[in-house]
Amino acid sequence: MSLNRQLISRGFTDLEKSTRFLDAPELKDIPERSLFDGLARSANPDLALQSLVRLLAVEPGLASVVADGGASSEPLFRLLGASEALAEFLMRRPEHLDTIKVSPSRAPGGVSAQQLRSSLLEAVGADPSSGTPVAEAGGKEAYALLRTRYRRHLVELAVRDLCSASPVDYLPTVGQELADLAAAAVEAALAVSRAELASSFSVADIASVRLAVMGMGKCGAGELNYISDVDVIYVIDAPDLAEDLAVKIGTSLATGISRAITSSGIEPGLWEVDANLRPEGRDGPLVRTLDSHLSYYARWAQSWEFQALLKARTIAGDVDLGRRYEDSVAPLVWNSSEREGFVDSVQAMRRRVTDNIPSHEAERQLKLGPGGLRDVEFTVQLLQLVHGKAEESIRIRDTTSAIAALSAAGYIGRSDAKAFDESYRYLRVLEHRIQLVNMRRTHLMPEDDASRRALAMSSQGAQVTTRPAAAALLEQWQQTKRLVRGLHESIFYRPLLNTAANLSVDEVKLTPEAARARLAALGYLDPKVAMRHIEALTSGISRRSALQRQLLPVLLGWLADGVDPDAGLLGFRRLSEGLGQTHWYLGMLRDSKAAAERLCHILSSSRFIADLLEVSPESTKWLGNDKDLVPVEFEAQWGEIQSKMSRHPEPREAMRLIRLIRRRELLRIAIADSSGLLDQAEVGAALSATDRAAILGALHVAEGAVFANEAPLTEVVVVAMGRQGGREITYGSDADVMYVHRAHPGANEAAAQGQAERIVSQLSALLQQPCTPAIQAERVLEIDADLRPEGKQGPMVRSLESFREYYRRWSLVWESQALLRALPVAGSDDLAAAFTELIDPIRYPETISSQSLREIRRLKARMESERLPRGADPSRHLKLGRGGLSDVEWLVQLLQLQHAHGNDALKTTSTLTAMDAIEAADLLPSADVATLRQSWCLSSRVRAANVIWSGKASDLLPSSRRDLEAVARWCGYGPGMGARLEEDYLRLTRRARSIFERAFYGY
């Protein structure tokens, strides 16, 4: 196996650089197998190799560990591949390399807080058994000793974490140990600060000031990250000293703590010590007495400060004073939910956190964005603060234990708690692994694939040997975000709605002014009209009105998540009124979050579906059950149509029922598509099957009507062409068709031709002419037979022999090209097979002449210059524009004409299947095929989204920001990413056009 193949198989990405490092003299005595096996275990082999070479340059003796391989070198490679920052620490401090010379454990334990405290205090020469430990000295030397010992323990923990079989299971231990390690560092820094203050104050005065350091946030909760600010509050008590002197000494002690941990030095600072959660924030004194704290909390504190105090824990300094602080603030914390507007303020703060995320970071946020860590933490903390007053069992600081306690107490369902816990652990592991690399505070998903692959590898257990792809990581992350966001919205709001539901109408109803302001804040453009809809839905004392009052507070928010909440609310009102007193409708929305959310998404994002639901309100029932949204197979539709025709022999009546079935199935497919249950190819196939069933039904009805007055003289087959033949249509597609007939034995040819013409004329009219009574909101299936021989000048239907003669004598190359997508869809199976046998040599010729090639290219160039609508931007036209559908399809069809005769895989009517065959046959480079496929799929999806969003067909990428946003969401982009869709489309089609010009025109 070549070296490059070996590197690729072990996860390397920068082959050139890694090859250079492999030639480093430091590696010459290490067996290749031991080296490569070790690197294969690392999350980022490129990084691990580079760090290893640098480390060997400092400590050559480490080569023996690498050479031993197996378990001996595993801790080293896992650390080097996960953290460049910790590798650099070992380069600075090679005397601590013993930390990686350990046996890896798949189920490691932890180190106690007491052990860590003693170790850090001993590092600075302080006595761990003393009530007020004092370091031997201060200054940069003491800081370096403290920081070095801290990082030694950090390496030990990282090794255990990275070698564990299940990082998500080990996460609580990691978080607690990191918090305890930070607490030990603060304790040692306080000991150093005491030593330094001896030159400014008397030892007795310093000893008289009792200082307690309260850990807040994740440090207080015992769930700290690898790198994070440590939030603290300082409390002092010095009854024997004057208050001014006590505050001065306390402030100096606190300042010294920050200096010892954060200031620049030989050994870099650890992290920021952040005291901004103290009373009055940055404007308040750095230290206060306990009484001063309590006075502030009683008079001035805001609701968010009590939420923060939920995590308060003594981490360093005077333990008794810290406990007094904890005991004193606890009643304030657990009674805070009684404060006016408390819950609203917590919810508003969560929204502010989301709103303040920089736009360029929003989609990459693990922590602050929707579906991130903050959604879990805010939800858990709100439930604790609301219910913790009476329920002591849920008064727990760390998030994972709090979720378990809330579930045990019944405040979160068991399945929701399990999903919340698993999602939170997974997101925290990702956060830890991202931060480990450079030991920097970041909560952003990496942008490059190499970093994502490394993250995917490092976040799975050590026993997993398969190296996951970056795409798999992103998919799991997106699924987790959606799950967390859904649970957050359900749990964060619904318990409060249940409380509001027990109040009278007068108690819960907002004033019109306040309600309009809230609607405007949610994004409703006409709050006054929206209020009228709400009043119409909720007024009265009926059960329906009561259920609407429960549902609307949530539904209004979900509707507001769509592009047009005003239209969504109007649609919801019309649908609710259409269903009247139906018992299942509001009950389904109340009991099925998925159904309610789907409905809101549809009504505020799709005119096409909303119009269909308004005239078919009973179809709303499908929203509550994914099985009801599975597209009905062609055979089942045809069976239903046959049943209708047998019971309704009158042609117009039978045809109306057939078209109603088609309308119903279009709605089912569209809802399934909107719900993410179908991919693009499945949508095309389902729509094609529905149209085929309708065409077959229309053919049978037409034949029945004609044969009722005359003897059958012929049989007719409908041949689908274009996208209909490729089974790749969208919601706005016409049905391109050709008609072929064959006279029965002994029948007069002219009479048979006339009868065939009457049948196809009747078929077209049955599918397109208005029904009585009219079918509301129907998307009429337009029949287009212009691709027949001689186009509009030729007969509408030909006999099989006429087709044979025409193709033998007169067929043009464009007709051969059109036949590539010919697929019989209705009529006699024997005639369909005979027609297919006839056209196969024409569409799959042995050779194609240079003259024909020139003609194809001339036709394409002419189409580009003549058929593009006047004034249309070529870069935005989905079908005829630069790199759009036409470019891709003409190139694919040219290759089929040239090569399908000798390659059966190319004998397909499907563009996507043909592209797969083109790639497999190396007719185009794989990268080019991938670009063409992406361009074709995105153009098709945008085309479909135009219809879904507006109810109207359009072949243009929208220019309006609002329309572009709506279409982007239907194409799978997140909120606010319309511009991203536009950029992607223009970039993809530009690249596709370049490929097309090179491969089609030859330049």
Side-chain angles (χ1 to χ4, degrees), residues 517-592:
R518 187 167 185 177
L519 288 167
L522 282 171
Y524 289 82
L525 299 179
D526 195 339
K528 188 174 181 180
V529 171
M531 275 300 301
R532 288 205 298 269
H533 296 324
I534 293 169
E535 289 167 359
L537 288 165
T538 60
S539 61
I541 58 173
S542 67
R543 176 173 174 79
R544 182 180 67 172
S545 298
L547 281 171
Q548 292 281 20
R549 286 193 291 273
Q550 291 184 39
L551 291 168
L552 274 171
V554 174
L555 299 187
L556 288 171
W558 286 338
L559 288 168
D561 289 338
V563 179
D564 192 348
D566 299 82
L569 182 55
L570 172 61
F572 180 73
R573 178 183 174 182
R574 288 177 173 172
L575 190 61
S576 298
E577 290 172 347
L579 288 166
Q581 298 294 331
T582 306
H583 71 280
W584 55 265
Y585 169 61
L586 292 176
M588 178 189 71
L589 298 183
R590 177 198 60 203
D591 299 333
S592 172

Side-chain angles (χ1 to χ4, degrees), residues 507-521:
E507 287 172 317
V508 300
K509 190 172 182 180
L510 293 170
T511 64
E513 294 78 12
R516 282 196 290 271
R518 187 167 185 177
L519 288 167

Side-chain angles (χ1 to χ4, degrees), residues 79 86 89-90 92-102 116 119-120 123 144-160 177 181 267 270:
L79 183 73
L86 293 182
F89 164 71
L90 293 175
R92 291 195 306 272
R93 308 285 180 177
E95 66 270 21
H96 294 288
L97 278 168
D98 61 302
T99 54
I100 54 87
K101 298 175 183 178
V102 294
L116 295 171
S119 177
L120 268 291
L145 292 170
L146 186 159
R147 297 168 187 179
T148 301
R149 183 64 60 89
Y150 175 92
R151 288 197 170 98
R152 174 187 173 85
H153 287 295
L154 197 63
V155 170
E156 292 173 337
L157 173 57
V159 165
R160 281 183 273 122
E177 189 167 327
L181 183 56
E267 183 65 25
L270 301 179

Side-chain angles (χ1 to χ4, degrees), residues 50 243 289 403 414 469 544 599 839 920 951:
Q50 295 161 30
E243 185 173 343
T289 64
I403 292 172
R414 286 191 294 270
R544 182 180 67 172
L599 180 62
I839 65 173

Side-chain angles (χ1 to χ4, degrees), residues 172 175-180 214-225 230-231 307-315 377 381 384 396-402 424 428:
Q176 184 64 63
E177 189 167 327
L178 287 167
D180 291 340
M214 309 306 301
M216 306 291 286
K218 283 186 165 59
C219 185
E223 51 186 14
L224 198 60
N225 292 329
V230 172
D231 297 312
Q307 185 178 356
L309 285 171
L310 190 153
K311 305 292 187 180
R313 172 177 70 101
T314 309
I315 61 170
E377 292 161 356
Q381 290 165 24
Q384 288 180 285
I396 298 172
R397 295 186 181 94
D398 75 278
T399 304
T400 55
S401 299
Y424 183 72
R428 287 295 306 277

Side-chain angles (χ1 to χ4, degrees), residues 847-862:
T847 60
I848 182 168
S849 68
S850 58
Q851 181 181 353
S852 294
L853 287 176
R854 285 195 300 273
E855 179 65 11
I856 291 173
R857 290 166 179 153
R858 187 188 67 80
L859 286 170
K860 179 66 169 77
R862 179 181 171 189

Side-chain angles (χ1 to χ4, degrees), residues 222-350:
E223 51 186 14
L224 198 60
N225 292 329
Y226 274 97
I227 183 69
S228 173
D229 289 355
V230 172
D231 297 312
V232 298
I233 287 177
Y234 296 109
V235 189
I236 62 168
D237 185 26
D240 298 331
L241 292 182
E243 185 173 343
D244 288 350
L245 179 59
V247 169
K248 189 173 183 180
I249 293 174
T251 301
S252 297
L253 287 171
T255 304
I257 290 173
S258 294
R259 186 170 56 249
I261 289 174
T262 307
S263 65
S264 60
I266 302 170
E267 183 65 25
L270 301 179
W271 21 258
E272 293 292 326
V273 180
D274 189 343
N276 289 332
L277 291 177
R278 66 186 184 270
E280 301 180 71
R282 294 180 181 177
D283 297 327
L286 188 58
V287 301
R288 289 176 182 257
T289 64
L290 177 55
D291 289 341
S292 177
H293 276 280
L294 296 178
S295 176
Y296 169 84
Y297 291 134
R299 298 184 61 189
W300 309 110
Q302 300 180 47
S303 296
W304 68 265
E305 293 179 273
F306 295 106
Q307 185 178 356
L309 285 171
L310 190 153
K311 305 292 187 180
R313 172 177 70 101
T314 309
I315 61 170
D318 193 285
V319 176
D320 290 336
L321 178 57
R323 285 176 181 160
R324 283 169 50 204
Y325 179 91
E326 293 176 29
D327 293 342
S328 297
V329 300
L332 303 177
V333 171
W334 301 117
N335 291 324
S336 62
S337 61
E338 297 178 359
R339 294 164 61 94
E340 184 177 355
F342 175 81
V343 171
D344 286 341
S345 71
V346 173
Q347 293 174 339
M349 183 163 65
R350 176 64 189 112

Side-chain angles (χ1 to χ4, degrees), residues 633-643 645 693 696-698 700:
E633 298 287 342
F634 164 77
E635 290 76 13
Q637 291 185 55
W638 176 231
E640 183 181 3
I641 287 171
Q642 288 178 301
S643 176
M645 290 190 300
L696 181 56
H700 276 256

